[in-house]
Amino acid sequence: MRYNFNEIEAKWQKYWAENQTFKAENQSEKPKFYVLDMFPYPSGAGLHVGHPLGYIASDIYARYKRHQGFNVLHPQGYDSFGLPAEQYAIQTGQHPAITTETNIATYRRQLDQIGFSFDWSREVRTSDPSYYKWTQWIFIQLFNSWYNNDSNKAEDISTLTNIFSSEGNSKVNAVCDDAIATFSAEDWKAFDAVKQQQILLQYRLTYLAETEVNWCPALGTVLANDEIVNGVSERGGHPVIRKKMTQWSMRISAYAERLLQGLETIDWTDSLKESQRNWIGKSVGAAVTFNLKNHSEVIEVFTTRPDTIFGVSFMTLAPEHELVSKITTQEQKAEVEAYIEATAKRSERDRIADVKTISGAFTGAYAEHPFTKQPIPVWIGDYVLAGYGTGAVMSVPCGDQRDYDFAKHFNIPIPNIFENADISQEAYASKDNVVIANSDFLNGLNYKEATKKAIQELEKLGQGQGKTNYRLRDAVFSRQRYWGEPFPVYYINGMPQMIDAKHLPIRLPEVEKYLPTETGEPPIGNATVWAWDTNKNEVVSNDLIDNKTIHPLELNTMPGWAGSSWYFNRYMDSQNNEEFASKEALNYWKDVDLYIGGSEHATGHLLYSRFWQKFLFDKGEVPVDEFAKKLINQGMILGTSAFVYKISLIWPKTSRHNDNLDYLNQISSKFPSIFCSKNYYEKSLHEDISLRDIAKDFKLPSLSSFIGTLDPVKVKIEQLSFGEYQLHADVSFVNASDELDIEAFKNWREEYKKAEFICEEDGTFKVKREVEKMSKSKYNVVNPDQICIDYGADSLRLYEMFLGPLEQYKPWNTAGITGVHGFLKKLWKLYVGENGLLVNDAEPSKDNLKTLHKTIKKVEEDIENFSFNTSVSTFMIAANELTAQKCTSKEILEPLLILISPYAPHIAEELWNQLGNNKSISTAPFPKFNASYLVESSKNYPISFNGKMRFTLELPMDMSKEAIEAAVMANEKTQEQLQGRTPKKVIVVPGKIVNIVG
RNA sequence: GCUCAAGUGGCGGAAUUGGUAGACGCGCCGGAUUCAAAAUCCGGUUCUUCGGAGUGUGGGUUCGAUUCCCACCUUGAGUACCA
């Protein structure tokens, strides 16, 4: 019997599905283990071989944990709201729900054929109303909460209104909008409902505010900070501008410190934690108030270096700072206004790109130093950002390079307040080895002491206190899109009202057009049925809006990260219609034990999810405040693109002034498609080869006839030269030796049908290879479907793991798969011969046992350390050894299958079944490792004398260190080497080496 | 600029955390089988001027360094005027 992988894999996939082999129960005697993948967005292109990498790793771990006796939860679902489906809808008019459904079907088929042990009964889809009902519900909970800094957690908004009506807001220590006016209990009671709501909105954890947002005109929507890369949108690379809009925001800043602290408690990679720390951007320092000369206004600054306060020689405000217009003197007005206008014109990108140019203007105003009372000139400069801290800095040129550069540029004095620091060339920005000088009461102190002392003295004056600043901004939560969760919000007098949770979900309305409306409103503005009837508690037609009982609904939808910020909790009890998950399920599964996904979500999904989890924890909805104990980032599998070089015509240098421009255009359109092979291209790079030479050398008929049609009067052949440009060829036309299948390539595109090829000397056409991200547009996508047909899912799984370390980026190369495929064939032959099963009850030999136990030990270690690549090698060695040993013993071959089963489950299940087991291999316990089988009777110990001379000595394996040492010293070869000298020491590493140090 | 990660044969990558560097696979070379090819099996494969040399470069610690320390170079990723 041959190894018929297609038949075997189909058979067991069917069996697992029919028997619900991997269904997890919410109660069990066994300990729980939750293995989660980041769920995919089901794009129209389907899966390529890069996608399943993380899923294979998590599947191996999940299957391994089942063998270890855990009750394993290993679910899968779809993050099915998103921009591509909507873009597709805009182009084709097809409803995103339909395309999403189709795409999910493709994904499911592709995932199934790889043989994952997912519990599909728990599948979630973020775009399913039964799911987003709870996303809406969580939104309402956030709206009804505020963050109390005293209890350091989110509390119900009713506790806040109670405080307001009993004592006003002066003692409330909340995370809220800046600059809220204080009011008394009487004031509060006197406010009308709208006023009260306006005030509460400034405290709620999700709030409506006019904020400056990142508006992307091309996408017609706002974007969060983490959706922008280098000043352009992450999706599509469109420009992004700053714009003031009324938007929903999430008060994630309330959780900045806890998000930072929580990182200490979870086992995530250091680089990922580092990204989150940078994103949160905590800086400890002081807030300092500078009084202005001749003004009642004050300037608030934030500084991390209060110790350098005596080094202040000027102040700098951001050009957008509100004080600028108030304090600028008459004489400086023109200059300041011109500067503000100039900076406003510069886009965000220009400002980032051009950091080196120093610019600014003097306002004419002077602040007063809090201690010396000396006047300090106030400048404006665009190196100070309006959005960070207070938008104003105290400039200490001797201690900060930017201040230093600014001072140098504008000839502002640079007083030195450091002992022994040379500031003639650059600022001394280090905090180490600081000794403060010329600073009154701070003289002689170091950074730490001086900082403390300075803050104390500022507090005495009432002009400052210690302060911690975070870079983390509140996250904008509105998107002007169709294909997202609708807000459960309607408006009365412009104030948002939550729809009662019992009426959820609020389903997406039908629209005819998915583009934003002409007035710039979101696509839902196109819906005709989108108003809320507070009598009937249902969505009704817009025409009925009467502002009494029928009100307009929110037109925006939620961003992509809304649904993905809590899905891991939903898997615990995904069919529940009463709660997002039952308390029993939440308390049983608690958190994700192992989470596998890409590192690109470091400051998006992974931060927002931690935020929502902490919020739900505060509200008592979930039992733990970190949702994932351990996280692994799988690396990306890259594609190996193939390039061909197409010869193009280069205009003669004189063409710009050529009278026959029309003619030249005309002939260039008739230029034939000619491709040249890699080596020819490389040769031509350095040699100027003319068209005529190509035609002559390669006897290309199309080129000869092209030259023949040239009008020698209008253009001379000698005037024309050629260049090449490289373009992607589909990798499926290229074999392992980089040779292009010319016929297939010709048939690829209509315009290549008559193309001609300049080949290598051996007649082949070679492409140039380059490793790039795998993508449809680069024609380097390898489809797992074809791999499964040609080699089987087990080969695919093994090979993806074998490629290299899980976390690493690595290129895909289909050629190498024959190695692991050969192993599976060999494995099969170890069990099944021409005439049936080879396995019998024979006593295992010592060698057999040694091979098995060596393998058990290595595989167990590998899986625990996520080094899945090396266990594939271990399997190959085991199969080779057992084949050489002619092992037929069931005692050896049966446990071997359990070791292989997480990696190659189909073949393992089939052979397991053939050995006479009628329960799935997934229920079998992992074999126990026994070290005694590995101990050999003797071993050759290499002896090294002073690291130079070497010989070997045969000694029993189970000797103690001391016994080995004695035996080595007693040996005559050793004595020979020592020549009567006494060694300083003898170093013994058991089983390894003996070193004699002379 | 800053932060993090990584540099080992023709290639992907191993090396029990300081102990015989190059496991395993690809590729390549040779052989067996075959009328022949495919498939399969077996052997070889870091370089070498055959003395040795060798894990990006130069130092250091050590009896011993791919592994630890210092400096530098290169590549990749993230971040960016954060006061």
Side-chain angles (χ1 to χ4, degrees):
Chain A
M1 282 208 303
R2 266 186 55 243
Y3 168 43
N4 189 338
F5 48 86
N6 288 326
E7 202 175 280
I8 291 168
E9 289 173 1
K11 172 179 163 188
W12 290 107
Q13 282 163 14
K14 187 160 171 258
Y15 174 90
W16 295 328
E18 282 173 357
N19 292 278
Q20 301 213 37
T21 309
F22 306 113
K23 191 166 171 11
E25 297 301 334
N26 277 2
Q27 54 216 27
S28 170
E29 297 289 294
K30 303 173 183 174
K32 72 100 186 180
F33 203 90
Y34 186 176
V35 183
L36 181 66
D37 294 293
M38 289 186 187
F39 61 169
Y41 172 80
S43 82
L47 291 173
H48 62 62
V49 290
H51 291 117
L53 179 74
Y55 306 154
I56 294 170
S58 68
D59 197 56
I60 289 169
Y61 207 80
R63 285 175 181 268
Y64 166 73
K65 279 288 169 183
R66 284 194 197 95
H67 288 307
Q68 292 265 350
F70 286 85
N71 182 30
V72 173
L73 173 56
H74 186 39
Q76 188 56 289
Y78 305 97
D79 190 10
S80 45
F81 268 136
L83 203 52
E86 180 167 317
Q87 298 283 52
Y88 191 74
I90 289 168
Q91 284 159 21
T92 64
Q94 270 209 69
H95 198 282
I98 294 165
T99 52
T100 302
E101 189 73 33
T102 319
N103 293 348
I104 286 178
T106 308
Y107 265 62
R108 180 63 191 275
R109 183 186 57 73
Q110 289 188 296
L111 290 171
D112 281 349
Q113 77 182 348
I114 301 172
F116 292 119
S117 64
F118 293 130
D119 176 359
W120 284 107
S121 70
R122 293 168 183 262
E123 180 191 313
V124 303
R125 299 175 184 189
T126 53
S127 62
D128 193 312
S130 71
Y131 179 90
Y132 68 66
K133 167 181 177 176
W134 297 107
T135 311
Q136 293 172 336
W137 180 85
I138 293 170
F139 177 83
I140 296 172
Q141 306 310 305
L142 283 155
F143 183 80
N144 288 329
S145 302
W146 64 293
Y147 200 88
N148 187 344
N149 273 332
D150 289 336
S151 61
N152 200 22
K153 60 180 220 173
E155 291 181 12
D156 196 273
I157 201 79
S158 62
T159 62
L160 186 65
T161 49
N162 287 344
I163 298 170
F164 285 172
S165 48
S166 64
E167 55 184 66
N169 73 342
S170 58
K171 285 184 190 151
V172 170
N173 184 9
V175 180
C176 56
D177 289 4
D178 299 331
I180 298 178
T182 49
F183 53 81
S184 66
E186 287 67 39
D187 293 339
W188 174 254
K189 285 170 198 156
F191 293 148
D192 64 18
V194 171
K195 175 77 177 167
Q196 288 187 343
Q197 286 181 31
Q198 274 170 353
I199 290 168
L200 285 176
L201 211 44
Q202 297 179 295
Y203 289 87
R204 296 179 190 273
L205 282 180
T206 181
Y207 59 98
L208 203 53
E210 183 169 85
T211 43
E212 198 163 78
V213 295
N214 306 300
W215 171 256
C216 178
L219 295 175
T221 188
V222 301
L223 298 171
N225 285 347
D226 66 280
E227 292 169 308
I228 300 159
V229 178
N230 293 330
V232 297
S233 69
E234 188 187 18
R235 267 191 194 279
H238 303 295
V240 174
I241 57 168
R242 306 286 296 172
K243 191 177 172 181
K244 279 215 161 182
M245 289 177 79
T246 301
Q247 304 283 324
W248 285 100
S249 284
M250 287 280 164
R251 214 179 290 281
I252 189 173
S253 55
Y255 285 88
E257 186 59 31
R258 282 171 63 191
L259 287 168
L260 199 59
Q261 295 302 324
L263 290 173
E264 307 298 326
T265 68
I266 48 181
D267 182 9
W268 292 16
T269 60
D270 288 336
S271 64
L272 197 134
K273 286 187 187 180
E274 197 59 31
S275 306
Q276 293 211 345
R277 281 191 201 105
N278 288 340
W279 194 260
I280 294 166
K282 179 179 182 174
S283 46
V284 180
V288 186
T289 308
F290 284 78
N291 295 324
L292 281 161
K293 299 262 183 200
N294 314 319
H295 266 281
S296 57
E297 308 274 359
V298 295
I299 298 177
E300 293 271 358
V301 303
F302 172 75
T303 178
T304 54
R305 298 295 301 273
D307 57 316
T308 63
I309 190 146
F310 285 92
V312 176
S313 63
F314 59 104
M315 313 273 300
T316 316
L317 307 181
E320 301 90 341
H321 198 283
E322 54 164 12
L323 276 181
V324 174
S325 57
K326 295 181 187 168
I327 61 171
T328 304
T329 58
Q330 207 53 44
E331 306 83 73
Q332 295 295 23
K333 202 170 178 180
E335 192 189 334
V336 165
E337 277 176 0
Y339 181 67
I340 292 172
E341 200 180 317
T343 49
K345 266 191 206 154
R346 299 173 75 191
S347 71
E348 191 78 357
R349 277 188 94 182
D350 294 341
R351 217 166 134 168
I352 291 167
D354 181 23
V355 264
K356 296 228 168 62
T357 314
I358 296 159
S359 65
F362 179 46
T363 60
Y366 288 87
E368 178 191 86
H369 193 280
F371 298 114
T372 66
K373 308 296 177 195
Q374 291 297 307
I376 308 167
V378 179
W379 288 69
I380 61 173
D382 68 356
Y383 80 97
V384 176
L385 302 177
Y388 183 77
T390 59
V393 300
M394 59 176 226
S395 302
V396 183
C398 67
D400 183 284
Q401 194 56 41
R402 290 157 302 169
D403 295 344
Y404 186 92
D405 295 339
F406 195 88
K408 275 261 153 153
H409 189 261
F410 289 107
N411 281 319
I412 303 169
I414 304 175
N416 191 355
I417 52 146
F418 300 117
E419 237 169 63
N420 308 325
D422 174 20
I423 57 156
S424 59
Q425 297 304 315
E426 56 179 12
Y428 185 77
S430 170
K431 290 174 185 172
D432 304 323
N433 305 320
V434 167
V435 181
I436 306 286
N438 304 324
S439 296
D440 195 358
F441 53 85
L442 298 178
N443 285 343
L445 300 181
N446 66 24
Y447 160 69
K448 246 186 152 169
E449 297 159 346
T451 300
K452 204 177 156 196
K453 178 84 177 157
I455 292 173
Q456 276 173 9
E457 295 297 322
L458 282 166
E459 277 174 356
K460 278 189 202 161
L461 288 178
Q463 281 191 264
Q465 69 272 318
K467 197 184 171 187
T468 303
N469 233 343
Y470 298 92
R471 201 190 77 126
L472 185 68
R473 295 278 88 103
D474 283 347
V476 176
F477 199 67
S478 300
R479 294 292 181 277
Q480 292 67 41
R481 291 178 190 161
Y482 175 73
W483 193 230
E485 297 87 348
F487 284 83
V489 173
Y490 61 96
Y491 290 88
I492 301 178
N493 300 326
M495 293 308 295
Q497 314 292 325
M498 293 296 122
I499 291 169
D500 196 289
K502 62 178 175 251
H503 306 303
L504 300 180
I506 302 303
R507 288 164 190 268
L508 265 175
E510 293 299 323
V511 296
E512 281 188 8
K513 284 186 293 179
Y514 302 98
L515 271 173
T517 57
E518 284 79 0
T519 52
E521 280 172 347
I524 293 185
N526 292 321
T528 51
V529 182
W530 196 241
W532 185 250
D533 187 331
T534 53
N535 265 345
K536 294 188 196 158
N537 282 313
E538 62 180 37
V539 178
V540 296
S541 169
N542 305 0
D543 299 341
L544 303 172
I545 292 174
D546 58 8
N547 290 325
K548 290 188 194 102
T549 63
I550 299 176
H551 306 279
L553 277 154
E554 169 72 54
L555 297 178
N556 289 301
T557 55
M558 299 185 196
W561 54 269
S564 61
S565 293
W566 69 280
Y567 75 111
F568 35 85
N569 288 318
R570 182 64 176 171
Y571 281 134
M572 297 175 187
D573 193 12
S574 68
Q575 304 304 312
N576 197 328
N577 268 325
E578 309 304 315
E579 298 164 277
F580 69 87
S582 72
K583 286 285 175 291
E584 294 74 41
L586 286 161
N587 284 324
Y588 177 70
W589 294 109
K590 285 194 177 68
D591 53 7
V592 176
D593 292 281
L594 174 65
Y595 194 21
I596 295 188
S599 56
E600 65 273 21
H601 299 106
T603 50
H605 160 61
L606 289 171
L607 197 62
Y608 296 130
S609 295
R610 293 182 59 224
F611 159 44
W612 278 31
Q613 183 75 8
K614 285 182 189 301
F615 166 72
L616 291 171
F617 174 77
D618 285 355
K619 303 287 282 182
E621 299 290 347
V622 295
V624 288
D625 76 337
E626 287 290 348
F627 76 95
K629 281 200 197 91
K630 181 169 179 67
L631 178 123
I632 294 213
N633 294 126
Q634 92 274 14
M636 206 180 282
I637 290 187
L638 304 167
T640 314
S641 300
F643 289 100
V644 294
Y645 297 94
K646 189 171 190 290
I647 295 181
S648 60
L649 201 57
I650 292 180
W651 293 120
K653 285 209 178 78
T654 53
S655 66
R656 246 173 267 159
H657 311 290
N658 200 300
D659 300 334
N660 302 311
L661 205 58
D662 285 346
Y663 178 73
L664 288 171
N665 279 327
Q666 196 193 325
I667 59 164
S668 81
S669 70
K670 286 181 184 159
F671 191 77
S673 285
I674 299 168
F675 295 93
C676 63
S677 187
K678 181 188 159 207
N679 290 340
Y680 177 77
Y681 163 72
E682 280 166 6
K683 210 176 99 192
S684 75
L685 260 184
H686 307 287
E687 298 164 26
D688 194 22
I689 301 174
S690 78
L691 258 189
R692 212 167 43 170
D693 294 337
I694 304 174
K696 207 166 65 188
D697 290 356
F698 295 96
K699 303 188 179 66
L700 298 172
S702 64
L703 195 53
S704 303
S705 68
F706 169 78
I707 291 170
T709 61
L710 292 179
D711 183 341
V713 180
K714 290 180 175 161
V715 63
K716 290 202 168 64
I717 296 167
E718 290 82 1
Q719 287 182 312
L720 297 172
S721 64
F722 77 95
E724 305 91 340
Y725 61 95
Q726 59 176 32
L727 51 98
H728 287 276
D730 194 305
V731 286
S732 63
F733 305 149
V734 184
N735 70 10
S737 316
D738 296 349
E739 289 164 12
L740 183 76
D741 180 342
I742 291 178
E743 285 312 307
F745 184 77
K746 276 184 173 175
N747 289 325
W748 189 30
R749 298 248 168 87
E750 192 53 41
E751 65 262 38
Y752 300 160
K753 282 256 150 55
K754 287 180 182 161
E756 288 184 294
F757 297 83
I758 300 172
C759 296
E760 307 286 327
E761 279 164 12
D762 60 4
T764 62
F765 187 95
K766 295 228 159 126
V767 297
K768 186 187 151 205
R769 293 289 201 167
E770 212 166 272
V771 172
E772 294 180 294
K773 202 168 165 176
M774 206 174 264
S775 139
K776 217 176 170 182
S777 63
K778 297 189 168 87
Y779 300 103
N780 59 2
V781 169
V782 180
N783 191 311
D785 300 15
Q786 195 57 43
I787 304 282
C788 285
I789 293 166
D790 295 344
Y791 301 96
D794 284 338
S795 292
L796 175 71
R797 292 170 62 109
L798 281 172
Y799 189 53
E800 295 230 351
M801 291 301 106
F802 185 69
L803 274 176
L806 182 59
E807 278 123 315
Q808 201 164 296
Y809 279 57
K810 46 208 175 267
W812 177 267
N813 173 18
T814 305
I817 201 169
T818 54
V820 292
H821 187 62
F823 154 71
L824 288 174
K825 284 198 273 194
K826 189 176 258 179
L827 184 77
W828 181 263
K829 279 194 192 160
L830 189 58
Y831 290 79
V832 185
E834 297 281 327
N835 308 311
L837 207 63
L838 298 172
V839 183
N840 56 33
D841 290 329
E843 254 327 278
S845 73
K846 262 192 166 174
D847 282 347
N848 293 164
L849 284 162
K850 193 179 163 187
T851 301
L852 175 66
H853 284 272
K854 203 169 67 178
T855 310
I856 295 172
K857 182 164 187 277
K858 188 69 167 60
V859 170
E860 194 165 358
E861 278 170 10
D862 283 347
I863 299 181
E864 296 287 356
N865 296 325
F866 303 95
S867 328
F868 301 119
N869 52 332
T870 48
S871 22
V872 180
S873 301
T874 310
F875 294 142
M876 290 179 181
I877 295 166
N880 279 336
E881 286 182 4
L882 292 173
T883 305
Q885 294 160 14
K886 299 198 166 49
C887 175
T888 58
S889 171
K890 190 173 175 181
E891 215 174 294
I892 300 294
L893 296 175
E894 199 170 68
L896 183 70
L897 288 178
I898 302 171
L899 301 181
I900 293 173
S901 136
Y903 291 80
H906 307 88
I907 192 172
E909 191 81 88
E910 171 65 22
L911 292 172
W912 180 259
N913 181 259
Q914 290 203 17
L915 290 184
N917 298 291
N918 44 29
K919 276 174 94 179
S920 166
I921 194 171
S922 61
T923 59
F926 202 78
K928 284 265 177 303
F929 168 64
N930 185 338
S932 65
Y933 293 116
L934 298 194
V935 175
E936 290 168 14
S937 57
S938 61
K939 162 121 191 164
N940 287 328
Y941 277 80
I943 312 293
S944 138
F945 177 60
N946 265 8
K948 278 290 171 192
M949 288 167 256
R950 273 188 185 154
F951 61 97
T952 57
L953 193 63
E954 189 154 293
L955 293 170
M957 266 300 279
D958 47 359
M959 279 173 90
S960 70
K961 266 182 155 181
E962 292 72 24
I964 295 170
E965 196 183 317
V968 169
M969 290 312 292
N971 187 273
E972 58 182 67
K973 274 188 188 163
T974 313
Q975 290 304 325
E976 203 178 291
Q977 298 283 357
L978 285 171
Q979 295 175 329
R981 288 170 295 187
T982 316
K984 276 184 195 154
K985 56 179 171 176
V986 178
I987 300 155
V988 177
V989 180
K992 281 292 176 189
I993 196 165
V994 180
N995 266 285
I996 303 165
V997 183

